[in-house]
């Protein structure tokens, strides 16, 4: 295998204080494939898997409720760890089974009506977009897709003109989209929403775990993220942040015994914390795995992690751009660990399948997952490669060599 397929240098001098060899030793999946799909579901560390399996074994012997009671203190530690990751307070954290669920519960709790205005970024993920489109159709709320600037990000001047002032405006932005390596200017958006009084909801599914996220600096009222992606936690886990003062606006459509108390025949009271948005049933084993994953991230360092991922992704972009017949589809300013590209003459799904046959794991993202982004750009689909701290030079070389071979084959057909 070519040690430096694109002449862009090795990752060793870019690793900073990430001990990539140690991360690989703690990640079983790197032994069988070049896994470049952290934005879909990252490879979990051994410690996370061990935590999950151990609790399932405990449930096997003691019963689910009994096992949950025994680890209640460790679940409380999960709230504190999640709060540390996004620079919030533990009472501002709610646990969920996914970012999609967390965002849906928050938006529904706003009780939108015909006077509401939804201002959404082009980077909005399909599940959130479909929910908002459905709500707009049902309630009569106005839905406006915020125009993008030349760099592909939210056009801040246009957003400022769209804001009417007051809480009727609800701004929804994806920090990093599923369809490119773009990073939205979330702090600048926060400054605009604070001045106007609009609500600001941030989908941080693809950013928490790889980028520094400080909800105070960003100025968002609520944030959601998932466990399985850059946090390297089990599937079916996630959490939300809700700013304390904003919580008063949220009245859950379906109160649950976890976040509410039935106080009389027709009365109930809601939890004064973000837990009013939670439901009783959950995977305790999965949440223990999330706790372990968050602790590992905090120990490694978020800034260090983000720097390594951005640097590795940049090496990939440079290498892909040097291959004939390959087009990098990320905006030029992309600074995340997500890389998207296309190969002339081949559908993205076909490219991803051919890469998989070479033990290189990527995913194809169709325009149906991002109509306001890929559809708007006229790109039917992209191949998405996304890196993490367990990826090294061998993974970069494997992807670039395989893509070059596939691109040559497409030209020769």
């Amino acid at each position: 295998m070519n040690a430096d397929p694109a002449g862009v240098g090795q990752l060793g001098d870019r690793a900073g204080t990430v001990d990539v060899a140690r991360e690989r030793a703690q990640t079983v999946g790197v032994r069988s494939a070049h896994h470049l799909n952290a934005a879909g579901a990252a490879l979990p560390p051994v410690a996370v898997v061990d935590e999950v399996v151990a609790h399932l074994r405990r449930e096997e012997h003691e019963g689910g409720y009994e096992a949950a009671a025994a680890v209640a203190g460790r679940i409380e530690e999960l709230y504190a760890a999640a709060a540390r990751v996004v620079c919030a307070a533990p009472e501002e954290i709610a646990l969920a089974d996914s970012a999609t669920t967390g965002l849906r519960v928050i938006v529904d709790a706003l009780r939108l009506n015909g006077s509401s205005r939804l201002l959404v970024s082009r980077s909005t993920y399909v599940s959130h977009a479909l929910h908002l489109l459905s709500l707009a159709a049902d309630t009569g709320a106005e839905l406006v897709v915020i125009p993008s600037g030349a760099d592909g990000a939210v056009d801040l001047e246009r957003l400022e003109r769209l804001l009417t002032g007051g809480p009727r405006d609800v701004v929804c932005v994806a920090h990093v989209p599923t369809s490119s390596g773009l990073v939205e200017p979330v702090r600048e958006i926060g400054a605009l929403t604070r001045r106007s009084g609009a609500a600001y909801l941030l989908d941080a599914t693809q950013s928490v775990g790889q980028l520094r996220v400080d909800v105070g600096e960003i100025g968002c009222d609520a944030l959601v993220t998932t466990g399985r992606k850059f946090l390297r936690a089990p599937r079916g886990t996630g959490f939300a942040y809700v700013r304390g003062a904003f919580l008063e606006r949220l009245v859950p459509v379906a109160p649950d015994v976890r976040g509410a108390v039935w106080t009389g025949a027709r009365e109930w009271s809601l939890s004064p914390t973000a837990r009013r948005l939670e439901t009783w049933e959950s995977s305790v084993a999965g949440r223990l795995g999330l706790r372990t994953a968050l602790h590992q991230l905090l120990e490694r360092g978020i800034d260090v992690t983000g720097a390594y991922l951005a640097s590795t992704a940049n090496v990939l972009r440079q290498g892909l751009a040097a291959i004939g017949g390959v087009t990098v589809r990320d905006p030029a300013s992309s600074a995340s660990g997500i890389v998207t590209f296309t190969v002339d003459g081949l559908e993205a799904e076909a490219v991803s399948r051919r890469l998989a046959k070479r033990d290189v794991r990527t995913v194809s993202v169709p325009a149906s997952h991002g109509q306001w982004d890929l559809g708007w750009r006229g790109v039917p689909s992209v191949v998405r490669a996304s890196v993490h701290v367990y990826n090294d030079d061998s993974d970069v070389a494997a992807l670039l060599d395989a893509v070059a071979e596939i691109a040559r084959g497409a030209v020769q057909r």
Side-chain angles (χ1 to χ4, degrees):
M1 181 175 291
N2 186 352
D4 189 7
V8 293
Q10 302 290 293
L11 291 176
D13 59 347
R14 296 177 172 87
T17 57
V18 171
D19 188 341
V20 181
R22 179 175 180 272
E23 297 291 346
R24 290 177 69 81
Q26 297 177 347
T27 307
V28 172
V30 301
R31 303 169 194 169
S32 56
H34 302 282
H35 194 274
L36 295 157
N37 191 19
L43 294 174
V46 170
V48 168
V49 176
D50 286 348
E51 188 77 37
V52 173
V53 173
H55 189 76
L56 290 175
R57 290 299 184 196
R58 187 168 197 161
E59 289 185 343
E60 180 182 34
H61 288 278
E62 300 176 13
Y65 278 22
E66 293 79 4
V71 298
R74 291 162 70 193
I75 295 298
E76 288 301 315
E77 293 174 4
L78 167 56
Y79 289 92
R84 284 182 61 197
V85 167
V86 297
C87 304
E91 59 269 21
E92 295 175 313
I93 299 297
L95 302 179
D97 60 12
S98 69
T100 297
T101 297
L103 203 49
R104 183 174 66 245
V105 170
I106 291 170
V107 172
D108 286 347
L110 282 170
R111 306 297 182 108
L112 302 178
N113 55 44
S115 67
S116 302
R117 298 177 72 240
L118 293 163
L119 308 178
V120 301
S121 64
R122 291 198 179 279
S123 54
T124 302
Y125 180 62
V126 52
S127 297
H128 187 36
L130 292 174
H131 179 218
L132 297 179
L133 287 166
S134 177
L135 275 177
D138 288 345
T139 65
E142 181 184 5
L143 190 151
V144 180
V145 179
I146 307 166
S148 296
D151 60 356
V154 164
D155 186 319
L156 296 171
E157 292 184 0
R158 296 286 294 277
L159 172 59
E160 187 171 21
R161 290 199 294 269
L162 285 169
L163 292 167
T164 60
R168 66 188 292 258
D169 290 342
V170 180
V171 177
C172 301
V173 175
H175 195 173
V176 176
T178 193
S179 49
S180 81
L182 172 74
V183 179
E184 293 281 14
V186 291
R187 290 174 178 79
E188 292 80 359
I189 294 170
L192 293 176
T193 57
R194 282 195 298 270
R195 286 202 297 269
S196 74
Y200 179 18
L201 313 183
L202 186 64
D203 179 358
T205 302
Q206 298 287 14
S207 60
V208 172
Q210 68 154 324
L211 301 179
R212 183 172 179 271
V213 175
D214 184 323
V215 292
E217 291 182 2
I218 293 171
C220 57
D221 294 298
L223 169 152
V224 297
T225 194
T226 193
R228 74 180 189 275
K229 298 179 184 288
F230 290 97
L231 289 175
R232 304 182 66 191
R235 296 191 69 173
T237 63
F239 67 86
Y241 151 81
V242 182
R243 184 170 59 84
F246 184 67
L247 188 64
E248 299 171 4
R249 284 189 58 183
L250 303 183
V251 182
V253 171
D256 184 87
V257 65
R258 170 65 175 167
V261 177
W262 197 5
T263 56
R266 295 178 181 270
E267 296 85 31
W268 69 93
S269 62
L270 296 171
S271 169
T273 73
R275 298 187 197 191
R276 69 170 58 183
L277 303 173
E278 294 185 357
T279 54
W280 169 258
E281 190 52 42
S282 67
S283 167
V284 176
R287 289 182 173 180
L288 289 172
L290 174 60
R291 168 188 169 275
T292 298
L294 291 174
H295 284 165
Q296 288 201 347
L297 170 64
L298 290 166
E299 290 168 6
R300 186 192 314 118
I302 296 171
D303 290 339
V304 167
T305 300
Y308 182 71
L309 269 57
S311 175
T312 306
N314 189 52
V315 171
L316 277 179
R317 289 192 193 95
Q318 292 180 50
L320 289 166
I323 300 172
V326 174
T327 302
V328 175
R329 295 294 182 174
D330 296 327
S333 60
S334 294
S336 77
I338 296 175
V339 179
T340 59
F341 64 95
T342 54
V343 177
D344 293 349
L346 288 174
E347 294 183 354
E349 185 177 358
V351 175
S352 189
R353 286 199 306 268
R354 295 184 188 190
L355 288 170
K357 290 180 180 179
R358 294 163 171 80
D359 292 326
V360 178
R361 311 295 188 215
T362 61
V363 70
S364 62
V365 180
S368 60
H369 283 195
Q371 285 289 2
W372 295 333
D373 177 22
L374 292 178
W376 174 69
R377 288 192 275 157
V379 180
S381 59
V382 294
V383 182
R384 186 183 70 195
S386 43
V387 300
H388 218 305
V389 292
Y390 46 74
N391 291 124
D392 65 1
D393 288 320
S394 69
D395 297 318
V396 171
L399 175 67
L400 296 180
D401 286 348
V403 171
E405 181 182 345
I406 291 168
R408 284 194 299 271
V411 170
Q412 295 167 1
R413 286 172 56 188

